[in-house]
């Protein structure tokens, strides 16, 4: 049995990792920790876990979190993970970091978008970007996984086959995303107070969201070309689910059937990507609380634009589910173990 | 008192007109009709109208609907309005048509997008596009108003000041809209069954929505140039509110402050358009159940794109509210009468 | 013009008073204050008020709040109102207190249920319980109104006609209420964080809610008999609306038609109470954002119980709407002014 | 492998059985059928099943539905199941009927509450009421399971320990239930059209819901005494989850701790019932999409009433989950197989 330690277990993402590992045949939880004052049973914190996971969660101390673990999940806010990841790596643990701390390869990008200097530059280059559909081999060999952001997961999976094909006509993309509110975490703020969100939709951080450089970096890595992304995230009144509508230039004369075929082939061996046929479009409802990424298409001949609709659950394929998918690859399990 | 007849009073839009006219100081309802088998009190059909509007709604007959009216509101599906509008016009009534039937000036457009030949081509050119912020003078003189669609209202108000300025760099626009479900009308279908919508977001009719030619026609009319719109509507789990995110090329070196000033000036005399300052963005919650259109902005220097966020209530500024605003202008009332 | 001062204007209830008074023909706002650090335009705090109420809200100081006012609305948490009400009364102002501070006639009740000693016992007996359907005459003459709680409004209006009739067979009632979340106020807490509420229903404070003694006191006052209420409030995933299901013993052999008639007669002159006929039951949707109280009935012969369903909007008939209805009575306006 | 046939696979309940059996280690689906015109892949009907269950669903024919099956799940409306159950039983199949057809032991009850004569009286007495927490032994030996209704499951599990204890002071119960909308099935009607439900709460069929006699029968069977239930169901704006608030006389002087202990002991061996300690109350969110029944308590000394809050997912513990739990018992699997 692979022994897992979850740091940050009292957040929504931490809870999802607990839920998944509870069903996992080859892994077990050996440590739950969080930034809390007093120990708490995780099923007192999350009553839906009663009779499922009656495990104590302790105030975080790195030594205890490392002690019995083979793998450490860091379900922490950015700028916190990088303080502790080096310690776990030195102890010989595999580390799967769900924060943004090891995603951006250029330390300058990190400082620009996250507002502080990186505290562990040495490990940035060692970190593997944990998108299994593209980097399975690297993940298998990695000690440190930079688990992708939720928005970038939807966007990169939505664009990778296009970038690898000969259809892409430009490297400028517009990404218009709609997100459920769990993506904002388990922290009460007026913006996400129920009556403020109920029945409401709004855009935020237009062109300034910190997931932008992650998209740009990874799309450029796939295409080998300089890339620009104009990213507009929106909040919609649901708990779960991101739906990204991606506008890409492909020119006139494209047939959607051809696009569907390219994507279907590309993801043939990817159990968690579901490509929709022409005339069908995905709904967030269908990826809600599961680890799938659903992708559908529209095409506008007049403007020569392909419209790619890509949707993932913020907490699963966009965070905890993908993290366990990475763990499965790292430890030789079937990718789907615990996840279907 | 202006005497109003509402045809199609048992739909969501019809009900809103009833609600507004009940508060209106200068108008009164003289006839409610609908495609129903038996007469019904409108407050039995819509219990929220009890003690507000205890009026009988009758099975539609054109003569009775016309009898005492000065103005006839046609809150009907497209293809139906054009069968009856000529009759009301011949009787000397003012007609405000909330359907799409008189919006498209080229009959070929109508046939292409609405799937049938137009039945009243003679009146198309006489119809005035009822967007008061742009065509107040024409509305005042009109006998027949083509009341704008909900999506186009958000888009045209969102783009008009830009098109009239010297900032606009291209005539190709991407419009990514998110709509609440009342826009789909008061008819039960599996797609809009509560459990299918709750927590779900999806795109539909990408590049193929019938409101596209209306946007294209009206934007071109403003700019005087050929225009292309790639329009992607989405359904979000709320009842009311459309939020359109519009991507427009403005090139590098723009200052948002300048954009805000242009819009503020443009709408200085428009009581129902609210321009947001830099760094603030509108929410559908704030235009829900009122007649405002709220507009905010983002700018991405790298791509040279201005992002305009424009939001209206589907039923009010997007339908019934705008219809009464038009009536107010036609009959010499203050635009705001009954609407604030 | 009646000059109104609103203390606590940045809460949901305060905002609703602003909205109503803006539409009111005989009143105007002369002061907005709140517990804030710095002055703010009320339409910056609540963007839905843009173009409707562009008024400055200042950090609360009692002298300034009193200065030009004829009437002072205290939209404050309990225990705060009683600190300031005496001052306003001494200045000769009419005071409408939306908190619980002057509702309970026995100071011991206040201490027991609100956890602190009452600070202004002298004014408790002078305060008039502001339920216009029952106490219009007293309200007209009052200097201090104790505006009823939201739950009690639904329950007292739901039971008053029964208690005044000869049908009531017992003075023990079960009240099972379901509330939307705006009733909890405009303060972010984890319990009311969107993802915690979305799709969730729960009971709280069973038999221990602080609105219980208010119901008991007022029901006993109507019936003249000792009364017991077992009150179970529940939270449901909506923003607005309280629906109280009230179980009352009436014995066998009752006809619902008779009950409907009793209620209809009782509320004949009450513009805001709508009695439903047999076989129709009210929905919170129909009282949402308006000042009505809708009441419907079920009857179970086997248990001899009448089931009364009574529903109000938490913020309107349950708070701000009722407060203005009281103001209308106090200053000689039509009860409906500003409210329909 | 146990071979399962699901009749009515295109409803919400049918889909849930498919999802559960897909995860089940000891069962496999051999037939999906429904009242449809043409065969359809079940993952075309329910896109969330893509990559999970790519199985054809055929127009129902009883011979084909029976052919390879060991067990037949009838996920059908009432009055339909009883037409086909005899056939499957004659073929030697185990039958788990999710409709109401075999729940009421007195055929007169069936006719009274379901409006038609029972078509298979002979099998009624053979049917075992499939509530595993009470009738595990009988279920193990049954050929025909009458799978309990969703409301009755919450109520019977909520009352059984009390009835079996010496605390119960009366056999008259008030049950006030709140349900999510999936319980109404996958059929579009105006009542459950999204904008009609969003933000709305209402009661229906007060004292007249067809689940009442099922509760009465089963509660009386447990207590051995004549029982009365006044049942008031309500619709709340969520997709999943029933929360039943049950009022029971227990007299003065009870301690909640004692009640909690009685329930905890009673359900000690029941993996799917979770008893809440004093001062904690269940939320539907925590039983949403799982097979648990969560039970919490309040007590009002003044009225001598115990308030039991019992909550289940309509489709899982209230239907499909319980059906598979029954199958697990019938075929010797662990009760939890496929369900946790």
């Amino acid at each position: 049995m692979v022994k897992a330690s979850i740091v940050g277990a009292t957040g929504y993402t931490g809870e999802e990792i607990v839920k998944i590992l509870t069903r996992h045949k080859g892994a077990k939880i050996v440590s739950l920790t969080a930034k809390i004052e007093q120990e708490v049973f995780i099923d007192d914190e999350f009553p839906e876990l009663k009779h499922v996971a009656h495990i104590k969660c302790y105030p975080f101390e790195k030594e205890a979190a490392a002690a019995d673990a083979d793998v450490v999940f860091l379900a922490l806010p950015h700028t916190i993970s990088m303080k502790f990841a080096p310690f776990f790596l030195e102890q010989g643990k595999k580390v799967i970091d769900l924060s943004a701390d090891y995603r951006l390869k250029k330390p300058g990008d990190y400082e620009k978008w996250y507002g502080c200097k990186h505290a562990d530059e040495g490990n940035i280059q060692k970190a593997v970007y944990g998108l299994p559909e593209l980097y399975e081999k690297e993940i298998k060999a990695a000690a440190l996984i930079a688990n992708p952001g939720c928005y970038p997961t939807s966007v990169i999976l939505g664009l990778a086959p296009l970038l690898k094909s000969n259809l892409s006509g430009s490297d400028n993309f517009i990404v218009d995303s709609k997100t459920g509110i769990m993506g904002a975490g388990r922290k009460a703020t007026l913006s996400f107070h129920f009556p403020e969100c109920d029945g409401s939709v709004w855009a935020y951080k237009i062109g300034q969201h910190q997931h932008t450089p992650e998209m740009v970096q990874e799309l450029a890595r796939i295409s080998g070309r300089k890339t620009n992304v104009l990213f507009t995230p929106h909040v919609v009144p649901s708990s779960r689910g991101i739906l990204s509508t991606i506008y890409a230039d492909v020119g006139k004369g494209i047939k959607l059937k051809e696009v569907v075929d390219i994507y279907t082939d590309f993801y043939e061996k990817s159990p968690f990507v579901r490509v929709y046929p022409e005339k069908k479009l995905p709904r967030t409802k269908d990826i809600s609380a599961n680890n799938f990424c659903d992708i559908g298409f529209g095409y506008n001949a007049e403007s020569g634009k392909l419209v790619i609709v890509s949707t993932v659950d913020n907490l699963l394929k966009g965070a905890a589910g993908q993290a366990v998918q990475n763990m499965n690859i790292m430890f030789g399990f079937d990718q789907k173990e615990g996840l279907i």
Side-chain angles (χ1 to χ4, degrees), chain A:
Chain A
M1 293 295 265
V2 169
K3 285 168 279 175
S5 170
I6 303 167
V7 184
T10 57
Y12 287 138
T13 308
E15 189 204 3
E16 291 293 334
I17 303 175
V18 172
K19 282 165 75 171
I20 298 166
L21 293 186
T22 301
R23 290 192 301 260
H24 198 287
K25 284 182 213 143
K28 66 172 186 177
I29 296 165
V30 294
S31 166
L32 297 181
T33 51
K35 194 184 172 189
I36 49 177
E37 299 289 310
Q38 277 203 295
E39 64 190 53
V40 63
F41 277 109
I42 197 70
D43 54 338
D44 278 339
E45 189 70 20
F46 298 109
E48 69 170 316
L49 293 180
K50 275 178 197 288
H51 289 206
V52 175
H54 187 57
I55 307 171
K56 263 197 189 156
C57 179
Y58 294 92
F60 175 68
E61 290 190 25
K62 61 187 180 185
E63 292 79 9
D68 300 316
D70 300 311
V71 59
V72 180
F73 290 92
L74 300 178
L76 296 171
H78 57 83
T79 78
I80 308 297
S81 282
M82 64 190 179
K83 292 184 192 156
F84 301 108
F87 172 80
F88 294 115
L89 291 168
E90 282 156 25
Q91 304 280 314
K93 313 300 179 185
K94 301 272 187 183
V95 174
I96 299 174
D97 176 29
L98 287 90
S99 87
D101 283 359
Y102 296 94
R103 294 179 197 153
L104 301 181
K105 293 301 180 191
K106 296 187 216 149
D109 273 1
Y110 188 85
E111 193 166 346
K112 175 181 169 193
W113 290 90
Y114 290 92
C116 74
K117 227 180 125 45
H118 203 286
D120 181 32
E121 294 193 9
N123 279 313
I124 293 179
Q125 302 309 327
K126 293 178 199 155
V128 169
Y129 192 69
L131 197 59
E133 288 72 17
L134 297 178
Y135 306 114
E136 187 176 352
K137 213 176 72 184
E138 292 84 344
I139 292 164
K140 203 185 279 284
L144 170 59
I145 295 289
N147 208 60
C150 50
Y151 287 122
T153 295
S154 69
V155 174
I156 300 165
L157 292 178
L159 279 172
L162 183 71
L163 296 178
K164 289 292 196 188
S165 78
N166 57 2
L167 292 179
S168 186
S170 143
D171 295 298
N172 297 316
F173 304 100
I174 289 177
V175 174
D176 188 292
S177 294
K178 297 87 183 164
T179 186
I181 293 163
M182 275 184 151
R186 192 170 172 244
K187 189 165 176 298
T189 61
L190 184 56
S191 297
F192 302 118
H193 186 43
F194 185 89
E196 298 296 315
C197 299
D198 182 37
S200 201
V201 179
W202 68 91
Y204 68 104
K205 293 188 184 177
I206 301 178
Q208 300 179 322
H209 191 282
Q210 67 279 7
H211 281 177
T212 307
E214 183 181 341
M215 296 178 199
V216 168
Q217 167 184 294
E218 294 299 322
L219 295 175
R221 183 177 167 199
I222 294 167
S223 69
R225 297 184 299 268
K226 194 174 177 308
T227 299
N228 179 255
V229 174
L230 166 47
F231 174 46
T232 307
H234 299 75
V235 174
V236 296
S238 71
S239 291
R240 284 166 170 273
I242 282 177
L243 185 134
S244 292
T245 310
I246 307 165
Y247 298 88
D249 292 306
V250 292
K252 322 245 160 179
I254 293 296
K255 295 221 174 322
L256 269 188
K257 176 73 172 60
E258 188 182 350
V259 174
V260 170
D261 287 347
I262 287 170
Y263 276 69
T264 304
D265 288 353
F266 191 94
Y267 290 122
E268 199 186 358
K269 294 181 179 164
S270 297
F272 290 114
V273 180
R274 305 189 292 200
V275 177
Y276 276 53
E278 283 179 87
K279 294 182 189 166
K280 297 221 172 176
L281 288 164
R283 303 183 302 176
T284 57
K285 183 181 158 61
D286 294 310
I287 52 77
S288 186
N290 66 45
N291 197 50
F292 291 105
C293 172
D294 286 5
I295 303 176
F297 310 94
Y299 173 59
N300 181 245
E302 220 166 342
S303 60
K305 292 225 192 281
L306 180 68
V307 183
I308 303 155
V309 180
S310 176
T311 177
V312 299
D313 184 290
N314 322 45
L315 300 182
L316 291 170
K317 187 60 180 165
Q322 185 138 276
V324 175
Q325 193 182 350
N326 280 317
M327 184 199 83
N328 285 341
I329 294 169
M330 294 163 93
F331 289 89
F333 298 113
D334 185 296
Q335 278 194 40
K336 290 177 297 199
E337 179 52 41
L339 291 168
I340 284 196

